[in-house]
Amino acid sequence: MMSVLRTRMFLIQPGVEVMMAAARGVFAGPIKRLLPRGSFTQTRAWSSHGSVSDWREVRLNRLEGEDNGIVEVLMCRERARNSLGHVFVGQMRDLVSSLQHDSAVRVLVFRSLIPGVFCAGADLKERAQMSNAEAELFVHGLRSLMNDIAALPMPTIAAVDGFALGGGLELALACDLRTAAHCAQMGLIETTRGLLPGAGGSQRLPRTVGFAVAKELIFTGRRVGGEQAVNLGLVNRSVPQNQTGDAAHREALSLAREILPQAPIAVRMAKVAMNRGAEVDIFSGMAIEGMCYARLIPTRDRQEGMAAFIEKRPPRYTGE
């Protein structure tokens, strides 16, 4: 495989060879069985007031039974509507880091436990107390966090049951898929505050809805509801809100359950092929696809998929 890639390297644009070398590093060594790892330890954390607290603003919930493999990121900063403060961002960063090599997670769902809100964006009270240098450094860290979420190896789904504004929408955009209630409100509103989207929104929104629509939304700071968002391609699915206020979360779980039975290594490789391929020209993208495909050929899951088809039975994938 390596020799084939070298003979075809002339197809790849300058700089892409470096990216492909990094990708080869990610896939170096044999593919191991996707065995469960220890769950994220919910240790005590500093609260926004500086005292030690036994609750967390961001928690992890691993579903069990038939939903084993679906994991939820629970956002629960109630008093500040899940705004992106120091503690919230620090806990989210630690949690995301703990999931990067957790092969037991097949689908990751981001949801809010605060009624009517997904994430309200920046914590303006904290931001007002920062110097210019501190604010720039904090936003740099926030941009890095969104990149880490986007780089998670498993499929990610944002369940937007309420407001997702500014950094809140940037968090949703860092996920692979999005569901929204009709009543949800989404927007990159930074220009109404004298800023521009600084945590990836100016880059991810155009890649999601197209440049003309993204420019209109960012230039005007306009908010859109769930129904308009699905028409724009901003979200994958939009559903009427229910009495419990978690319709988008339920729809996200429905989507996760459609992904869950599929071969986990194949799903992860498909994510790599699409994400990396979108960054380069189509010929380089084809080379990336070939590299990802080659990693699947020796897997037991591929053999199981072929056997299940021939024997006319559902496949039983083990992640090997």
Side-chain angles (χ1 to χ4, degrees):
M1 171 186 164
M2 296 295 289
S3 61
V4 173
L5 284 176
R6 281 195 291 268
T7 59
R8 296 182 181 177
M9 195 60 72
F10 67 91
L11 294 174
I12 301 175
Q13 290 181 333
V16 177
E17 182 175 352
V18 175
M19 181 273 296
M20 290 188 66
R24 286 195 295 269
V26 171
F27 307 133
I31 296 177
K32 298 181 180 179
R33 182 176 180 177
L34 298 180
L35 292 175
R37 291 177 178 265
S39 61
F40 180 74
T41 302
Q42 296 184 7
T43 57
R44 296 193 300 175
W46 288 97
S47 75
S48 299
H49 300 287
S51 60
V52 176
S53 174
D54 288 322
W55 56 269
R56 297 183 62 84
E57 295 181 357
V58 184
R59 302 199 304 267
L60 207 62
N61 179 39
R62 295 176 184 266
L63 304 190
E64 300 176 348
E66 293 183 354
D67 289 336
N68 184 40
I70 300 176
V71 176
E72 296 179 330
V73 176
L74 308 178
M75 301 182 292
C76 45
R77 191 185 181 198
E78 183 174 6
R79 288 178 295 178
R81 297 162 60 86
N82 290 337
S83 60
L84 301 170
H86 277 101
V87 173
F88 185 98
V89 171
Q91 292 180 4
M92 181 71 78
R93 181 179 293 110
D94 291 343
L95 188 149
V96 169
S97 177
S98 76
L99 293 171
Q100 288 176 347
H101 302 291
D102 190 341
S103 49
V105 183
R106 295 196 180 188
V107 189
L108 188 66
V109 177
F110 287 78
R111 65 169 299 203
S112 169
L113 297 184
I114 312 305
V117 61
F118 176 73
C119 174
D123 186 328
L124 297 181
K125 291 182 179 179
E126 282 192 8
R127 195 72 61 87
Q129 298 175 4
M130 298 180 188
S131 67
N132 291 343
E134 289 171 337
E136 184 176 358
L137 183 62
F138 182 78
V139 174
H140 176 80
L142 197 58
R143 190 181 305 120
S144 176
L145 170 62
M146 301 308 175
N147 288 339
D148 289 343
I149 292 172
L152 284 168
M154 71 290 292
T156 54
I157 307 173
V160 183
D161 270 307
F163 288 96
L165 303 175
L169 181 54
E170 289 176 305
L171 172 57
L173 285 168
C175 295
D176 298 306
L177 307 169
R178 287 160 293 282
T179 62
H182 287 351
C183 63
Q185 290 288 303
M186 291 158 277
L188 295 180
I189 61 172
E190 284 84 353
T191 55
T192 70
R193 301 291 186 268
L195 296 166
L196 62 80
S202 70
Q203 302 305 304
R204 292 194 174 94
L205 186 63
R207 287 165 168 80
T208 303
V209 301
F211 276 85
V213 173
K215 287 178 179 179
E216 180 179 345
L217 293 176
I218 291 175
F219 292 167
T220 62
R222 184 182 305 151
R223 305 178 185 188
V224 298
E227 291 181 276
Q228 184 179 4
V230 77
N231 292 331
L232 293 174
L234 178 57
V235 303
N236 299 81
R237 301 180 181 182
S238 182
V239 292
Q241 188 57 282
N242 56 27
Q243 292 184 344
T244 53
D246 64 348
H249 171 237
R250 290 173 183 254
E251 190 65 20
L253 286 180
S254 176
L255 182 53
R257 288 168 183 142
E258 292 182 41
I259 299 171
L260 190 59
Q262 315 315 323
I265 302 175
V267 170
R268 290 185 175 213
M269 289 297 99
K271 177 172 178 174
V272 171
M274 288 186 282
N275 285 357
R276 296 297 190 185
E279 299 171 358
V280 299
D281 66 275
I282 191 168
F283 298 105
S284 303
M286 293 294 184
I288 294 169
E289 178 186 90
M291 180 177 65
C292 293
Y293 193 95
R295 296 296 294 178
L296 297 173
I297 291 176
T299 63
R300 293 185 180 179
D301 277 353
R302 184 187 75 89
Q303 298 171 359
E304 166 62 14
M306 297 295 292
F309 175 78
I310 294 171
E311 298 168 13
K312 301 186 186 306
R313 59 171 176 81
R316 296 182 292 272
Y317 296 121
T318 60
E320 294 180 275

